[in-house]
C-alpha cells in the first residue's frame, strides 16, 4: 500500500515522503479515502497510530483542490477547516503536521490556544487562514470578540474527542457547533467510545463511515513492561537508582499531580539528575522549552502529568516511568504508548506501592495481561505496610484539586479538577473508571460552578 494509491495529490505525497513515511498506517489507509469522499467519519484511534496524518492529509487535499482554494499563500482567505483539540500541546503538534504536509500547497494555517497573548492571534486571524487548529476555550474567546470568522467552515475535526469530554469541554464544543455553518463535513476522532461520545457522534455526524483501528492496549506487547514494588516513600530513591544504574538518558516520568511533579523535579535535581516538569501550572514558554530540551537530548528527565503529556510526540522514546499509577486505567495505555512507537521497542516501568494495588489490578484487567513484578535489591517493600487512601499522600484533596486543566486549552480557575481532581477523589480500592469518577460528585464535570469562578487565564 502506498500513499499514491490512496488518492492523494503529488504535492501531498511529496511532503509525506519527505517526512520519511513510506507507507500509510492502518488508520491512514482507511481514513484517507473515506475523508476524500467528503462524508462524515467516526474514527476510533489513539495517539501513536498515525491518526493526525489520517485526517490532515485528506483535509489538505480537499481544501487545496476545491473551487475556493486560494491562488497563493498570502492572499486573504476565510477559515475553511477547523480542528479542535483538548490541549495546547496537541494543537501545536497538529498544526505543525498541517504545515509539514501542506508545504507544497497554497494553504496556510494557524494555531490558537489559551495561556498566551491573544493579540498576535488576532493579527494572524485578521488576514485569514485556511486551516485553524484551536483549543475550545480560546476559540470561543475569539468568536465572542468577533476576531475569527467561522461562517465559511467546510470541514470540522474533533481530535481526541473523548479527552475533550473528560476535560469538561462539552459545553464549549456545543457553543462552537452552534455557530458553524450547518452544511459541512465532520470528522470525529476518539480513542474510546463512551455513551457520551456516542451521543456527541449522533448529534454531530451525518451517516458517518466508521473505522476502528487496533487499540493501543492490544499492541502494547512490543513494549517491555515491568512493575517494581516499592514503599511509597522510597519511590524517589528508586527512580534515581534506576536512572543512574541503567544510565538512562531520556526518561519520561508520569506523576499523578502537578505538586508531585514539582517535588520530584526538585529531588532529582539534588541527585544531580537533570529534570523539568510540564503541567498545567507551567507557562507555555516553560513547557515548550522543557519539551524541546527533552527532545534534543539535553534534558534527561521530563516529568509530566497525564493531561499535560497528552499528545506529546517523541519518536523512539526508550523509557517511560509511571512514578504514580494513573487512576484512570486507560491512561496507563496512553502513557506507555509514548514508547515503542512505530515498531521500536521501548520499556515502561511502574513504581507501585501498597496504595496502588487496586489501580494495578484495574490496569491488568484492561490490558488483559498480568505484568511481571521485579523487586529491586535494596528496595524490598515492607510486607506489613497498610494501604492509605491516595488522596492523603500529598497534602490531601485540597492540594490535588488544583485545576490540572488550568494550563490546558483554557484555564478553569484555581480549582478546575481534571486528572488531579480525580485522583484526589479516589481512595485506593475504589471503583475504577467505569464508575466514571468524572461524572460522580467532585469530578471535572461537576466542576461547573468552579469554572466560572477564578481567572480563566486565557
Ligand atoms: P499520531 O498518532 O498522529 O500522533 O502519530 C504518531 C507518530 O507516527 C508520529 O510520530 C508520526 O510522525 C508518525 N507517523 C505518522 N504516519 C506515519 C507513517 N505512515 N509511517 C511512519 N510513521 C508515521
Amino acid at each position: 500500500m502506498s500513499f499514491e494509491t490512496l488518492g492523494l495529490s503529488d504535492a501531498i505525497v511529496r511532503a509525506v515522503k519527505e517526512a520519511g513515511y513510506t507507507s500509510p498506517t492502518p488508520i491512514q489507509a482507511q481514513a484517507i479515502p473515506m475523508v476524500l469522499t467528503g462524508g462524515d467519519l467516526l474514527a476510533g484511534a489513539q495517539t501513536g497510530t498515525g491518526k493526525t496524518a489520517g485526517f490532515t492529509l485528506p483535509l489538505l487535499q480537499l481544501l487545496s483542490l476545491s473551487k475556493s482554494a486560494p491562488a497563493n499563500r498570502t492572499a486573504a482567505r476565510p477559515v475553511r477547516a477547523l480542528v479542535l483539540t483538548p490541549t495546547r500541546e496537541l494543537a501545536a503538534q497538529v498544526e505543525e503536521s498541517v504545515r509539514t504536509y501542506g508545504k507544497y500547497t497554497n494553504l496556510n494555517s494557524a494555531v490558537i490556544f489559551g495561556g498566551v497573548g491573544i493579540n498576535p492571534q488576532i493579527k494572524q486571524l485578521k488576514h485569514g487562514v485556511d486551516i485553524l487548529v484551536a483549543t475550545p476555550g480560546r476559540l470561543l474567546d475569539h468568536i465572542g470578540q468577533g476576531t475569527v470568522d467561522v461562517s465559511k467552515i467546510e470541514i470540522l475535526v474533533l481530535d481526541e474527542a473523548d479527552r475533550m469530554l473528560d476535560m469538561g469541554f462539552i459545553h464549549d464544543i456545543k457553543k462552537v457547533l452552534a455557530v458553524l455553518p450547518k452544511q459541512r463535513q465532520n470528522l470525529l476522532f476518539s480513542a474510546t467510545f463512551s455513551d457520551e461520545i456516542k451521543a456527541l457522534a449522533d448529534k454531530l455526524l451525518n451517516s458517518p463511515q466508521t473505522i476502528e483501528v487496533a487499540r493501543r492496549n492490544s499492541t502494547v506487547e512490543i513494549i517491555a513492561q515491568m512493575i517494581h514494588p516499592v514503599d511509597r516513600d522510597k519511590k524517589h530513591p528508586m527512580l534515581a537508582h534506576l536512572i543512574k544504574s541503567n544510565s538512562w538518558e531520556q526518561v519520561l516520568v508520569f506523576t499523578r499531580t502537578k505538586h508531585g511533579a514539582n517535588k520530584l523535579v526538585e529531588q532529582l535535581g539534588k541527585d544531580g539528575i537533570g529534570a523539568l516538569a510540564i503541567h498545567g501550572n507551567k507557562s507555555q514558554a516553560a513547557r515548550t522549552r522543557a519539551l524541546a530540551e527533552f527532545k534534543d537530548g539535553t534534558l534527561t528527565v521530563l516529568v509530566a502529568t497525564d493531561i499535560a503529556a497528552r499528545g506529546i510526540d517523541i519518536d523512539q522514546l526508550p523509557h517511560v516511568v509511571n512514578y504514580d499509577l494513573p487512576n484512570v486505567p486507560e491512561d496507563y495505555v496512553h502513557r506507555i504508548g509514548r514508547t515503542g512507537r512505530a515498531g521500536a521497542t521501548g520499556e515502561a516501568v511502574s513504581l507501585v506501592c501498597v496504595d496502588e494495588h487496586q489501580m494495578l489490578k484495574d490496569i491488568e484487567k484492561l490490558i488483559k495481561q498480568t505484568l511481571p513484578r521485579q523487586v529491586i535489591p535494596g528496595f524490598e517493600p515492607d510486607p506489613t505496610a497498610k494501604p492509605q487512601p491516595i488522596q492523603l499522600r500529598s497534602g490531601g484533596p485540597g492540594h490535588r484539586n488544583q485545576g490540572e486543566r488550568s494550563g490546558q486549552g483554557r484555564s478553569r480557575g484555581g480549582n478546575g479538577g481534571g486528572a488531579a481532581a480525580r485522583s484526589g477523589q479516589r481512595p485506593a480500592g475504589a471503583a475504577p473508571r467505569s464508575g466514571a469518577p468524572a461524572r460522580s460528585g467532585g469530578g471535572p464535570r461537576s466542576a461547573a460552578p468552579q469554572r466560572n469562578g477564578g481567572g480563566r487565564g486565557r
Side-chain angles (χ1 to χ4, degrees):
M1 176 81 71
S2 68
F3 283 100
E4 287 91 341
T5 58
L6 297 178
L8 294 171
S9 66
D10 290 347
I12 293 171
V13 171
R14 196 169 142 209
V16 166
K17 293 253 159 85
E18 281 182 16
Y21 310 157
T22 46
S23 55
T25 65
I27 184 84
Q28 292 162 2
Q30 293 179 65
I32 292 170
M34 282 186 189
V35 177
L36 288 178
T37 65
D40 284 4
L41 176 70
L42 176 62
Q46 300 184 337
T47 304
T49 53
K51 68 179 170 63
T52 313
F55 64 78
T56 307
L57 299 178
L59 189 122
L60 285 163
Q61 167 120 342
L62 288 171
L63 295 180
S64 62
L65 298 185
S66 85
K67 287 198 297 286
S68 37
N72 58 51
R73 268 183 178 258
T74 50
R77 65 206 54 211
V79 180
R80 289 189 295 145
L82 172 65
V83 183
L84 287 182
T85 76
T87 65
R88 300 165 176 181
E89 277 79 11
L90 187 60
Q93 286 183 8
V94 168
E95 203 252 346
E96 202 180 311
S97 298
V98 169
R99 270 186 283 131
T100 305
Y101 307 137
K103 69 199 255 202
Y104 298 115
T105 69
N106 284 331
L107 304 173
N108 64 17
S109 57
V111 58
I112 57 173
F113 46 66
V116 295
I118 199 165
N119 290 335
Q121 296 175 353
I122 292 175
K123 214 168 143 198
Q124 210 179 357
L125 291 173
K126 208 166 192 172
H127 204 58
V129 291
D130 297 287
I131 300 163
L132 182 61
V133 186
T135 52
R138 181 54 69 90
L139 177 66
L140 281 176
D141 286 343
H142 282 285
I143 291 172
Q145 295 183 20
T147 46
V148 65
D149 177 8
V150 292
S151 67
K152 301 286 187 308
I153 283 176
E154 298 165 20
I155 307 174
L156 170 73
V157 183
L158 295 189
D159 193 14
E160 303 201 351
D162 51 345
R163 192 49 66 127
M164 283 201 268
L165 299 192
D166 279 353
M167 290 171 70
F169 283 137
I170 186 67
H171 298 297
D172 291 352
I173 291 172
K174 284 185 176 161
K175 281 186 206 158
V176 173
L177 293 181
V179 295
L180 297 183
K182 297 280 163 284
Q183 191 64 284
R184 54 168 204 267
Q185 184 177 10
N186 301 290
L187 315 176
L188 189 155
F189 284 75
S190 182
T192 53
F193 287 112
S194 61
D195 289 346
E196 254 188 313
I197 287 287
K198 285 183 197 138
L200 179 65
D202 278 349
K203 190 172 170 315
L204 180 74
L205 306 174
N206 295 316
S207 326
Q209 308 221 49
T210 54
I211 310 175
E212 188 153 12
V213 297
R215 287 179 54 84
R216 266 274 166 189
N217 54 9
S218 64
T219 58
V220 291
E221 293 80 32
I222 53 167
I223 300 160
Q225 299 168 71
M226 181 63 74
I227 303 297
H228 294 312
V230 62
D231 286 337
R232 76 175 73 81
D233 57 349
K234 296 277 166 40
K235 284 191 174 189
H236 152 246
M238 176 184 266
L239 177 62
H241 169 77
L242 287 171
I243 293 171
K244 287 185 170 170
S245 62
N246 296 304
S247 307
W248 286 348
E249 287 175 354
Q250 202 186 29
V251 195
L252 178 60
V253 178
F254 285 94
T255 60
R256 212 177 291 125
T257 66
K258 293 180 287 190
H259 174 68
N262 291 341
K263 197 169 141 200
L264 183 58
V265 163
E266 208 175 288
Q267 288 170 321
L268 290 173
K270 288 185 185 148
D271 300 323
I273 298 170
L276 286 174
I278 54 166
H279 56 61
N281 279 2
K282 298 276 178 188
S283 69
Q284 187 57 36
R287 294 207 249 173
T288 307
R289 192 176 59 238
L291 197 55
E293 285 183 19
F294 186 62
K295 280 187 178 182
D296 73 21
T298 45
L299 179 69
T300 308
V301 180
L302 186 68
V303 184
T305 54
D306 287 289
I307 289 180
R310 185 78 181 172
I312 289 181
D313 179 15
I314 302 159
D315 283 333
Q316 311 210 327
L317 178 64
H319 304 288
V320 168
V321 176
N322 295 306
Y323 189 81
D324 300 313
L325 283 184
N327 52 307
V328 178
E330 283 84 355
D331 280 341
Y332 176 82
V333 180
H334 289 304
R335 287 177 177 190
I336 72 166
R338 310 280 155 210
T339 182
R341 285 191 173 195
T345 50
E347 187 177 30
V349 306
S350 303
L351 315 191
V352 178
C353 73
V354 65
D355 309 337
E356 299 170 306
H357 286 176
Q358 183 59 42
M359 292 172 165
L360 180 57
K361 269 192 201 159
D362 294 342
I363 289 166
E364 293 185 323
K365 197 167 147 205
L366 175 77
I367 62 174
K368 300 190 179 75
Q369 287 179 57
T370 303
L371 297 172
R373 270 74 167 166
Q374 186 190 47
V375 173
I376 307 274
F379 294 94
E380 293 79 3
D382 173 2
T384 64
K386 296 271 177 299
Q388 290 181 5
I390 294 287
Q391 67 199 56
L392 296 181
R393 284 186 38 216
S394 88
H399 221 126
R400 288 181 174 269
N401 281 351
Q402 338 167 0
E404 170 61 16
R405 281 178 296 170
S406 60
Q408 305 302 329
R410 79 193 291 189
S411 169
R412 302 292 185 186
N415 212 7
R422 286 199 293 270
S423 67
Q425 299 302 323
R426 187 182 164 212
R433 185 198 180 109
S434 52
R439 248 164 276 164
S440 61
R445 262 176 229 97
S446 63
Q450 298 159 357
R451 266 197 254 155
N452 299 328
R456 287 160 88 187
R458 296 189 193 166

